[in-house]
Each structure stands twice: as C-alpha cells, then as structure tokens.
Amino acid sequence: MTPAEVSRIAKQMISALDTVIVGKSAQNKQAVLVLFCGSHLLIEDVPGVGKTTLAKALAKVSGGQFSRIQFTPDLLPSDVTGTSIYNQNSREFEFHKGPLFANVVLADEINRASPKTQSALLEAMEERTVTVDGVERSVPLPFMVIATQNNVEMAGTFPLPEAQMDRFFGRISLGYPNREVEREMLAAQREAHPLEELRPAVSSEELLQIQRAIRQITIDPSVQNYVVEVVRATREHSHIYLGASPRAALHLQLAAQASACLEDRTFVTPDDVKACAVLVLAHRILVRGESRTQLGGSESVIHSILKTVPAPVPVR
C-alpha cells in the first residue's frame, strides 16, 4: 500500500471521527496514527469529555471486532483473559475466551482495577498472546488496547505502574470543548448520536497492510540520531526523575514514520519527530515534584527538550 493510499484512508477516518468528537481533530488524528502503528492508546482526562466515545468511534471506523471491559476493583484477571471450564459431557476443560480476544479492546477506567488485573493486559499488549493454564493463545490481528482513566478523581484507584505506562504507544487528552463546539455538539446530538451513523473506512486486512507499509517509510540516519538524542535528553534532564526507555525511542521512530505516511511522504523529517514527541514521550517520564509547578508538567518538559536538542538540517 502506497503512502498516498494510506493518507487517503487516514483522512477518511479522521473526518468520520470529527463528526463524533467535534473540535478535536488533532487528537482524532493522533488516535488514528496509533492505530496505524499497530499499538495501544491511553486516553486520560476528566469525566464526560468523550474518552469512551472516541474509543468506540475508532473501533467502528477501523472495521474490527470491538469489546469493552469496565474495570472495577473486584474484576479478576480471568474476567479479562478468559478461563477454562470443565465440560461434563466431553469430560474435558474448554477454554472460554475473555473480552481481550477482539481487534479493538476498550479498557474503561483501567486504574480502578487491581494491579494484578491490570497486569493481565501486559502480555497481550506486548506479545499479542494470552497464556491461561499454561497454554499460549494468540489474540486476533490487528490488535489495539484503548485504555481510559480519570486523572482527577484518584480515590480508590490503582495508578498504572511505569512498566505498564511504557506499553502504551501514546497518551492523549481531549479537554473541554470551546463554546462554539459545545453548541454544535448539542445541535448534532439532539435527535441521534453521530456514532450510530459511522461505517468502517478500512478492513482488517487493509489495516495490516497499512501497518506494514508504515515501517517501509525511509528515515535518514541523521533523523534516527535526532530521535536518539531527544530520548536521551529525557534521561539527562535535571528536572526529570525517570527518563524515557529504549522502547520509547523505537515507538517515536515508528510514530514519525506514520506521521510522514499520513502526510503522503515517503521519508521522515525532523518535524515528524517533533509532532509525535509529546504523544509518545510525555507519559513515559516522571518529572521531579519541585519542578512540576515551575515547568507545568511532562508535556512542557518535552517541549523544552525539543527546543534545546538541535534538529538535523535537511540536505537539499
């Protein structure tokens, strides 16, 4: 599949998402980018701004099988992965698949479940397999986990450990709409929800082709070095307690390739890296407590790093 075809499909999907999540085209584009990279997305924001709706909409336009897991404190790992049940007629144990066996899995309010249940996602997110009773089973491809969490109401929740945060390719926040967008939303949803009108814009096989095509986008060694320097700067920054991992560097490179492909280009530029840096890196770093009030959070720190790390000059 060519970059032009990928770009065309991406624009169709983003346009469809824009009818549901109004006024958040940048976030809709980032969600499609993560899907095209074949990875996982964390949506973190206050209640009622459309986190779950975006996940449902992305599943609809991607054309895959969708499942939703409502995470609660009493949720067990077997409720996510599935369990083996003894069949008295056949006198054998039969495996009953859990909701994790779908193309797009919504882990709603993931931080309300216990760490043991949260960890049930780790193997599937990284290896695309689930091991139950010593038997390894593959999840369907393409496979994407979209997790949501409320970052304000933290009482009774279990914050995601750094190991699991690192499994998420990107993190986005939707935020409140402006006055005009909110009026438009009320008018659009007076009689019916636009989500009901969404139709698949791509098949599962086409999505796998897109994911393979993105990895073929050319990235110059100088741009690869720029990715490395940006990631290493997070580990050497005086205001950062924990920097980004080597996995983050791999994800940032892939995100830059996807960004170029969405713009119908066959090569990556430093601007592609800059456009994806906050999406890929901000949730992977820990800013020192005394620095949060000075710098305004991890996103601001990433922006400051992008200003200090020199970008390669393209050869003309």
Side-chain angles (χ1 to χ4, degrees), residues 22 24 50 175 208 220 246 308:
V22 184
K24 302 294 179 181
L208 290 174
D220 189 82
T308 57

Side-chain angles (χ1 to χ4, degrees), residues 168-222:
F168 285 100
F169 188 94
R171 180 186 68 178
I172 63 174
S173 297
L174 296 175
Y176 290 119
N178 61 39
R179 183 178 286 103
E180 290 71 22
V181 167
E182 199 156 8
R183 288 171 180 164
E184 183 181 344
M185 179 189 70
L186 293 179
Q189 297 186 28
R190 185 174 63 87
E191 297 181 356
H193 200 292
L195 187 64
E196 300 171 5
E197 304 297 324
L198 287 187
R199 296 293 180 268
V202 64
S203 67
S204 294
E205 181 55 39
E206 288 174 326
L207 191 52
L208 290 174
Q209 292 177 16
I210 289 172
Q211 292 173 1
R212 289 192 292 267
I214 283 172
R215 292 183 177 273
Q216 302 304 313
I217 298 297
T218 302
I219 179 165
D220 189 82
S222 64

Side-chain angles (χ1 to χ4, degrees), residues 95-131:
F95 179 69
H96 290 245
K97 293 181 178 179
L100 200 54
F101 288 85
N103 298 115
V104 179
V105 178
L106 169 59
D108 211 6
E109 297 190 275
I110 187 173
N111 57 330
R112 295 203 175 277
S114 68
K116 185 176 182 179
T117 303
Q118 291 175 10
S119 66
L121 292 172
L122 289 181
E123 181 186 1
M125 291 173 68
E126 188 66 19
E127 308 295 336
R128 304 301 195 269
T129 59
V130 173
T131 302

